[in-house]
Amino acid sequence: ALGGAYGPLSILGEPVSIPQRIYSPEPGRVDVNSLEPYSKLILAAIYTRHHDGYVRQNHVSDLLPSSEAWVPPFVFLLASEYVVEIIEHMLSHLDEIPRDPYVRFASENPEFMRLVKSRIVSYWACCYRGPQFREYPGFIFLDAFGLWRRNEIPRHWVKDNAKQPRTAR
């Protein structure tokens, strides 16, 4: 069962949609181990949209080293969610993630990336306001790909306002 979808998104010029949430039971390890590697990757992507955060975290590790063009939206969505432990897990594997597919996907889908960034800001403001925004894992993850522009980070969200450019009023 599906709980809505994000999209249409564009992956290499092709329109696609990503499920918001799925509510299917997770397949057993024996079933998953019998799959071919590409099928396992598809299954991992689908289960990163599962309603259970533990299931999402279990499957994201399989996606991170992939250079498939369709993987980034699944990972970006996790970076924009409220389960900070999943984002921290992704950050701990940052050196395994190929940058090009993520940057390409982001440039091809600016509206989706605005949604991802808005969600990151919202979850930080709602649930994690204690740490400065630049220390929030969702910000750090997108920033590792160079996806935050300086003007997208209001001065009052960071510790050192002197490092932020002053804007004319």
Side-chain angles (χ1 to χ4, degrees), residues 76-89:
F76 283 143
L77 282 171
L78 290 171
S80 76
E81 293 179 351
Y82 58 90
V83 185
V84 73
E85 293 83 1
I86 295 174
I87 308 167
E88 289 170 343
H89 174 77

Side-chain angles (χ1 to χ4, degrees), residues 97-167:
I97 302 174
R99 301 294 193 264
D100 290 344
Y102 287 80
V103 172
R104 187 177 322 115
F105 175 84
S107 68
E108 201 174 334
N109 294 279
E111 287 300 314
F112 177 77
M113 294 310 297
R114 272 192 277 286
L115 172 68
V116 166
K117 290 175 183 179
S118 292
R119 289 172 47 137
I120 289 171
V121 169
S122 292
Y123 284 124
W124 169 77
C126 177
C127 305
Y128 300 96
R129 195 103 198 212
Q132 295 297 314
F133 183 66
R134 286 182 184 257
E135 297 169 10
Y136 181 64
F139 169 81
I140 294 168
F141 189 81
L142 260 62
D143 195 47
F145 297 95
L147 298 177
W148 287 102
R149 291 185 303 252
R150 187 175 297 276
N151 66 348
E152 294 176 312
I153 309 165
R155 288 181 309 165
H156 64 278
W157 290 1
V158 295
K159 284 182 186 173
D160 185 359
N161 289 342
K163 291 183 181 178
Q164 295 296 309
R166 300 243 182 248
T167 56

Side-chain angles (χ1 to χ4, degrees), residues 12-28:
L12 301 177
E14 294 292 323
V16 298
S17 294
I18 305 292
Q20 286 182 1
R21 286 286 180 249
I22 64 166
Y23 298 91
S24 303
E26 189 176 16

